[in-house]
Amino acid sequence: MERQQIILGIETSCDETAAALVADGQHILANTISSQVDLHAIYGGVVPELASRRHVELIVPVVNAALKEAGLTLNDVTAVAVTAGPGLIGALLVGLSYAKGIALARSLPLIGVHHIAAHIYANWLVYPQLRAPFLSLVVSGGHTSLIQVEGHGCYQLLGSTVDDAAGEAFDKIARTLGLGYPGGPAIERLAQEGDPRALSLPQPVVKGQPLDFSFSGLKTAVLNYLNRLHQRQEQPNKADVAASLQQAVITSLVERTLLAAEITGLKQVALAGGVAANKGLRQALKTAGAERGLEVLVPPPVLCTDNGAMVACAGYWYLKHGFTAPLSLNATANLPLGSEQAWGKLGEKKDSAGKSG
Ligand code: KG4
Ligand code: ZN
């Protein structure tokens, strides 16, 4: 019997220090996440410098906790996969440097993973039957993108936000409403008690780019509404604001995803990213997709928000395809999607240069 491939996945691109052990790209042996939410909550958002420092403190205990939970040691690990971008540069460097240290000390392959790709791989983790090409909607605090996944490590960007990300719109409005950080879960909770038609909000379109998103107009409309009430010394009905905002964001996401499916002819849609934890979005996309004969895949919420298991799953498939990275790999705050294949080639060059020299 072939030996199991156990990948250690490390994620530190923003405010979660996360490590996971995944066997053969689908069996989660441990998925440890240490959230920094309490640290950043008083500031209403992530403070990059504080995030990096907290990752430095937590990375060793979090990896050790994951190994302990899985009942493994580093001797059992086949390769180390790590988010190399995009994200907060200081935060990324902590996870990457630690992953490099393990790879170097244990002579293990190092695999760099793009954060958006990792979110998409949460679907492959849960639905190993998923076959490319398929469509993915990635919605998080930093990204809102429609992607045609051509194969492992092979992505075509169909559309993305031209301004704020969907999660960012939730976070900013939640902060104004005094709901704390992160805003998405708070908006979702409050929205359950509100009327989604209470505010008439715009559905911004990007001229000539039907698959692109724009959320800043929506955010401004809500802020203007709140300011008008404030001037009249009236209190907003926060539940109505939350429900209306959530509905407007969901409508924008679902409409463009359906259009992308129609244009590309793709029949499978994989939802990903922190905002994919939102019940309203999950349900709306499933219902609208089913009406059009689309299969909508949605990972459980804990695999939608940042975690190490999705990174490990990507690492498993990248290793299979030879997309390993050289130990000179650097973190990149605005890393382009699909960089992993090029790192594989860099690794090859280095190896052959090493051998001949
Ligand atoms: O993917 P993620 O954990 O980190 C980034 O890569 O950004 O996504 C975090 C974002 C935040 O904006 C957060 O408010 C949002 O996802 N989020 C949600 C929910 N849970 C997290 N938004 C709406 N509803 C939720 N249940
Ligand atoms: Zn994320």
Side-chain angles (χ1 to χ4, degrees):
M1 210 174 81
E2 231 179 275
R3 195 170 169 255
Q4 269 193 328
Q5 300 256 301
I6 296 175
I7 312 294
L8 168 62
I10 294 176
E11 156 64 42
T12 62
S13 67
C14 191
D15 60 345
E16 326 277 0
T17 316
L21 290 139
V22 174
D24 295 337
Q26 51 178 303
H27 307 295
I28 301 176
L29 307 177
N31 189 23
T32 307
I33 305 165
S34 178
S35 174
Q36 303 183 1
V37 161
D38 295 348
L39 176 70
H40 302 287
I42 45 169
Y43 303 99
V46 179
V47 183
E49 169 84 12
L50 295 182
S52 314
R53 289 172 181 273
R54 186 54 71 88
H55 285 310
V56 168
E57 289 166 2
L58 290 174
I59 187 71
V60 174
V62 164
V63 171
N64 286 346
L67 285 166
K68 192 171 173 203
E69 190 189 327
L72 300 174
T73 71
L74 284 176
N75 291 334
D76 303 303
V77 171
T78 313
V80 189
V82 61
T83 306
L88 303 172
I89 194 68
L92 288 163
L93 284 169
V94 177
L96 179 59
S97 301
Y98 186 72
K100 280 186 180 189
I102 294 180
L104 184 63
R106 301 273 164 167
S107 300
L108 294 175
L110 175 73
I111 304 150
V113 179
H114 190 286
H115 187 66
I116 292 188
H119 273 303
I120 295 172
Y121 272 86
N123 282 276
W124 250 308
L125 184 59
V126 187
Y127 311 105
Q129 74 279 11
L130 187 58
R131 291 281 172 272
F134 62 86
L135 183 65
S136 186
L137 170 66
V138 184
V139 235
S140 72
H143 309 276
T144 307
S145 306
L146 274 165
I147 294 160
Q148 178 163 335
V149 180
E150 314 267 12
H152 293 291
C154 204
Y155 315 98
Q156 195 192 331
L157 189 63
L158 302 174
S160 58
T161 182
V162 294
D163 40 57
D164 290 348
E168 203 177 345
F170 284 146
D171 293 339
K172 285 180 178 168
I173 298 297
R175 186 162 54 189
T176 308
L177 291 173
L179 301 178
Y181 174 83
I187 294 276
E188 172 171 22
R189 269 194 304 277
L190 209 54
Q192 285 167 358
E193 297 147 31
D195 176 3
R197 286 153 307 182
L199 275 72
S200 102
L201 294 173
Q203 267 296 322
V205 287
V206 184
K207 224 171 160 197
Q209 291 157 265
L211 296 181
D212 278 345
F213 302 88
S214 169
F215 293 107
S216 73
L218 193 57
K219 182 190 67 191
T220 308
V222 176
L223 293 177
N224 287 344
Y225 169 81
L226 294 173
N227 281 338
R228 275 198 304 276
L229 288 186
H230 185 68
Q231 277 162 5
R232 297 202 297 257
Q233 294 180 334
E234 289 173 28
Q235 290 302 318
N237 179 327
K238 291 184 183 180
D240 282 353
V241 176
S244 302
L245 172 68
Q246 180 176 276
Q247 188 53 55
V249 169
I250 291 174
T251 303
S252 167
L253 294 171
V254 172
E255 272 183 4
R256 280 163 185 74
T257 306
L258 295 180
L259 182 60
E262 196 184 311
I263 293 171
T264 58
L266 296 171
K267 294 287 175 214
Q268 273 185 322
V269 181
L271 185 59
V275 180
N278 184 280
K279 288 190 205 77
L281 172 61
R282 297 161 79 89
Q283 197 48 57
L285 195 59
K286 275 186 185 164
T287 307
E291 281 166 9
R292 287 163 183 77
L294 303 175
E295 187 188 2
V296 176
L297 305 172
V298 190
V302 70
L303 296 177
C304 290
T305 44
D306 289 351
N307 65 88
M310 64 186 191
V311 180
C313 177
Y316 169 79
W317 289 105
Y318 286 175
L319 183 66
K320 252 188 178 337
H321 288 78
F323 308 153
T324 52
L327 282 174
S328 58
L329 180 66
N330 207 343
T332 309
N334 56 356
L335 187 69
L337 194 61
S339 299
E340 297 96 326
Q341 291 211 32
W343 294 334
K345 292 192 185 98
L346 264 178
E348 272 166 31
K349 263 193 219 149
K350 275 241 148 138
D351 284 353
S352 52
K355 271 171 206 146
S356 59

